[in-house]
Structures are given as structure tokens and as C-alpha cells.
Amino acid sequence: MHLERGEDLSRILPSLVTVILCCTYLLPNIGSGPLWPLVVTHHSNLCKKYMWRNMLLIHNYFGFEKMCLTHTHQVGIDMQLFLITPIFAYLLWHRRKVGLWFLGVVALLSTVLRFWVTWDNSLSHVVHYGIPISRMFKTASLSYILPTHRATIYLIGVLLSYVLRYSRKTVFSTLQLCAIWSILYPITLSAWLGPVHMSVKGYQYNKLQAALYAALSPIFWGTGIAWVIYAVNRGFGSWFGPLLKWKYFVFFTKISYAVYLIQFPVFFYNVGKTRHVDEYKPYMMLQVIETGLIVLLAIILTLTVELPFQNIKKVLFAQGK
């Protein structure tokens, strides 16, 4: 989820505050279970103490273990990166060469920072076989939730916007397109499937592998996604064009932010109230009832909070009326 043009605090904060208040004062009182104190009550207590950090969108600077609603760290990261984007935009639009160099240097520094911190602290950006909880929390606090470590892929998006706005429409031959797609498919998928060997029983943590994956996977994934967007925009997006232009995606874009906010409270509720042990089955990867509940609550949140506050903003700042 990225803060794009037209998405401001009138959309971000009301829904965020609503979910925080519900998880802090309402959710703890509507259920119980063996894990309820750990996954629901614990988060409620954290929010009572630290929700002010979320409302100021600075909660990602205080460590993962003391964060109210940990999944909302991305809101803070995006806002902080969004606030510095005008610097890059100004340089790219007015002093192109300086802007490109500046963007490249910052992206490189962010990449080096991810590698070094991962290596020096034995972190892992992959939930691999046998990973201790302490390493997961440490990775989140020292790298994953910090904008300095997430800047690379964000700046790829800034560069893409510049290319789409000002570059000439490049004509590629069929051979050139085949070559580009054949290179970018494995590169992009490597960011997703590269760590699959880490799920194998008996995997031993490798510090170099972890550091390389932390440094390179955002570049590989971001480059692949940027190419798909560019290709679809320019008319040679292969099967991605019809897929991404599917008209019903418009509906999901309306509730996507609410889905992002709602999903983990629903997960916490279901985990907290579970009173039995299930045997793992492949179909358990998609919980139909749970997914349906998330979508339903997201629609309710969008209709009752997000859209009304956006309408209030339009009324207050309507020009010429």
C-alpha cells in the first residue's frame, strides 16, 4: 500500500484510528481462548500505552515489540518516504542528471545498509525453518520497519513515474521483448521463490545468504513490477494487460486500505479463540470464511469511516462554493 496522489490524511488517519480504538477497547471484550491474552489482550495493552505514536505516524521508530498493531508499520514508512519524495521529484523534473544520480546513490546506500545490518546482526528477512522468534523481532526492529531500509523499492517507483511521464514511447522488436521478459521473469520470481530451500527441514541459517536476499530481493521484485507497469502502459504487457485492466479491480481498490487494516485483527481474533489443534491441510492456506469476514468488515469500514471523511474534506475545501 502506497500513498499516491490524492490519498492524504483524510483517508489514512480516520480508518487507522477507528481500527486502533476497536482493537484496544472493543475486541478484548468479545471473545476468549487459550491464546487470547497473548494475541488480543497483549496488543490491546500495547495500544493503550503507545497508540499516540501510530496517530503521529512515527510508530515504526520505536521497535517492533512495543508497537501498537504491528502490521500498520507500513503506513508510517509510506508517509515518511512520501514526505521526502518531493526532493527527488524536483531534482528529476528540473535537473534530470543530478536527480538521477541522487536517486541512484540513495537507493544504493539503502541497499548497502540492508546488507550490512542483516550481516552484522545475523538477521533474516525470511521466516525460514527453525527461525527463533527473537530473530524475527530483531529483523523487524533493526531493518524491516525502517524507511531507510525500504527506500530502494520506493525510489524505483519514483523513477518509474518519471519515465512514464517524460520518456518517449520506445518501440521494441519481438526479439527484444522476448529477451527482456525471459530475463525479468526469473529475476522477479527469484525474489519470491528464492528462499524456498529455507523451508526444508534441517536448513541451517547462512548469514551471507540472508544478507544478499535482504539487499537484492527488493531490487529484483521492484524492477519486475516496474517493468510490468511500464509494459502495460506502453501496450506490450502480454497477458498482464487484460488482467490488470480487469474492470472489477476498481471495486477492490476502494476497499484495499480497509482490507490492509482489518485483516490482522481478524487473524488475532481467530487465533485467540481457537481451542483445538488442527492437522495441517493445503486448503487451510485459504480460509474462505475468514477471508469473507475480512472483505465484509473492510466494506463496512470504507462505507462508514473512509468515504464519509473524504466527503467532509471535499465539502470543507471545495473551491468556488
Side-chain angles (χ1 to χ4, degrees), residues 1-284:
M1 192 257 334
H2 291 289
L3 296 174
E4 299 179 359
R5 187 176 183 180
E7 292 184 339
D8 53 17
L9 294 180
S10 68
R11 182 189 183 193
I12 301 302
L13 276 182
S15 296
L16 177 64
V17 172
T18 300
V19 172
I20 290 175
L21 293 178
C22 287
C23 291
T24 303
Y25 299 107
L26 179 61
L27 186 61
N29 299 314
I30 60 175
S32 63
L35 295 177
W36 194 265
L38 179 64
V39 297
V40 177
T41 307
H42 174 67
H43 282 92
S44 171
N45 292 334
L46 284 175
C47 286
K48 289 177 182 178
K49 294 177 63 177
Y50 302 123
M51 69 170 71
W52 63 271
R53 297 172 178 173
N54 298 63
M55 296 177 186
L56 293 177
L57 301 177
I58 58 173
H59 53 298
N60 53 310
Y61 285 107
F62 295 89
F64 197 73
E65 294 181 68
K66 294 183 178 181
M67 188 185 300
C68 166
L69 294 185
T70 52
H71 71 289
T72 64
H73 67 272
Q74 190 65 51
V75 182
I77 293 173
D78 276 7
M79 177 58 74
Q80 292 145 25
L81 290 173
F82 177 77
L83 291 176
I84 67 169
T85 299
I87 300 173
F88 298 94
Y90 177 83
L91 291 175
L92 283 172
W93 265 259
H94 296 280
R95 306 190 68 178
R96 182 172 62 88
K97 291 184 179 180
V98 175
L100 289 173
W101 274 103
F102 184 56
L103 186 147
V105 168
V106 174
L108 178 61
L109 290 175
S110 178
T111 301
V112 172
L113 188 61
R114 287 195 305 277
F115 180 92
W116 173 250
V117 172
T118 302
W119 170 276
D120 192 50
N121 295 278
S122 298
L123 308 180
S124 175
H125 289 256
V126 178
V127 183
H128 61 74
Y129 177 82
I131 185 172
I133 297 296
S134 59
R135 180 176 290 156
M136 294 170 60
F137 281 150
K138 196 174 181 181
T139 301
S141 297
L142 297 181
S143 179
Y144 190 71
I145 63 175
L146 299 178
T148 48
H149 289 240
R150 305 293 292 276
T152 304
I153 193 168
Y154 197 93
L155 293 177
I156 290 174
V158 174
L159 179 62
L160 173 64
S161 67
Y162 174 79
V163 170
L164 290 175
R165 177 65 178 84
Y166 285 106
S167 69
R168 297 178 180 178
K169 189 172 183 179
T170 307
V171 178
F172 293 95
S173 67
T174 302
L175 182 61
Q176 288 173 325
L177 287 175
C178 288
I180 294 173
W181 282 108
S182 63
I183 293 172
L184 287 180
Y185 261 121
I187 286 178
T188 306
L189 290 176
S190 68
W192 183 21
L193 302 176
V196 68
H197 65 285
M198 298 182 183
S199 64
V200 177
K201 187 176 181 180
Y203 168 77
Q204 297 294 320
Y205 172 77
N206 185 296
K207 186 162 65 170
L208 179 60
Q209 288 181 1
L212 286 173
Y213 183 79
L216 299 178
S217 60
I219 298 174
F220 291 166
W221 183 257
T223 301
I225 298 301
W227 166 255
V228 169
I229 296 172
Y230 176 82
V232 171
N233 183 272
R234 293 297 194 253
F236 43 82
S238 184
W239 59 274
F240 288 104
L243 174 64
L244 297 181
K245 293 179 181 179
W246 189 43
K247 63 180 181 180
Y248 293 107
F249 276 143
V250 175
F251 166 75
F252 186 76
T253 61
K254 301 293 185 182
I255 65 169
S256 58
Y257 179 56
V259 168
Y260 162 74
L261 293 177
I262 288 291
Q263 56 182 328
F264 273 90
V266 174
F267 298 156
F268 294 157
Y269 174 81
N270 286 334
V271 170
K273 72 181 183 64
T274 299
R275 301 176 184 274
H276 62 278
V277 177
D278 282 330
E279 180 181 356
Y280 173 77
K281 302 292 183 183
Y283 65 82
M284 295 174 67

